[in-house]
Amino acid sequence: MSERVVTLAVPKGRVLKALVPVLARAGVAPSALLGDDGDRRLVRELPELGLRVLLLKPDDVPTWVEYGAADFGVCGRDVLLERGYDLYQPVDLGIGRCQMVVATRSDREVLPDPPRIATKYPRIAAAHFAKKGIQAEVIFVQGSVELGPITGLADAIVDLVETGETLRQNDLVIREVVTEISSVLVANRAAYKLLGARAKQIVELFGGL
Ligand code: PRP
């Protein structure tokens, strides 16, 4: 691969680790992506692929891509659904798989109408209940969402579940699956067109096409 360096925005943490085997197939050493202990650089150069990787907070990845400060990005469908970005989504990477669910206390199966819902995803939650003709009262919280039903803040939560352990340990149960979530490759629409064949190489690298 030659020509201009392509910029890829990725989330730090679990998703970055999950990308290691994907890029290893293209000959990238894990240390080139992950760095060594104590490595605080936020840019990782992968010259063998003509790629520059930006390390970001997960919620910020689509912002970099939408403004064109990154050509491509890796982000969860949860963030895309919640904020409604206009990004090209050429590949579902199949990593970071989890479910967006409605959960309540195990002893509270029936929700009042209207229900109060605690969530980090107010748009997804409101749309889910609106589709069923229910105008839920949605309370935005940043984390520890599971405390909502336990403390009386809310009747239910809309949140991500991966192993189910957090729900189980807080005596909550899944009542509905709102949607399946995974990480997708996203691209800035203008950059994708301008990059032409180079963009297709990146998509192939990530298992699309
Ligand atoms: C997420 C999510 C749940 C938990 C689910 O939170 O909001 O709380 O993971 O995972 P599990 O089903 O495997 O137990 P995260 O760990 O990202 O922390 P947060 O509450 O700060 O968002």
Side-chain angles (χ1 to χ4, degrees), residues 161-169:
V161 174
E162 190 181 352
T163 63
E165 197 54 26
T166 310
L167 289 185
R168 198 184 62 72
Q169 291 193 21

Side-chain angles (χ1 to χ4, degrees), residues 6-34:
V6 171
T7 305
L8 172 74
V10 305
K12 289 182 267 189
R14 274 186 291 188
V15 171
L16 181 64
K17 290 202 181 95
L19 284 176
V20 167
V22 176
L23 291 174
R25 290 201 307 256
V28 174
S31 61
L33 200 58
L34 300 176

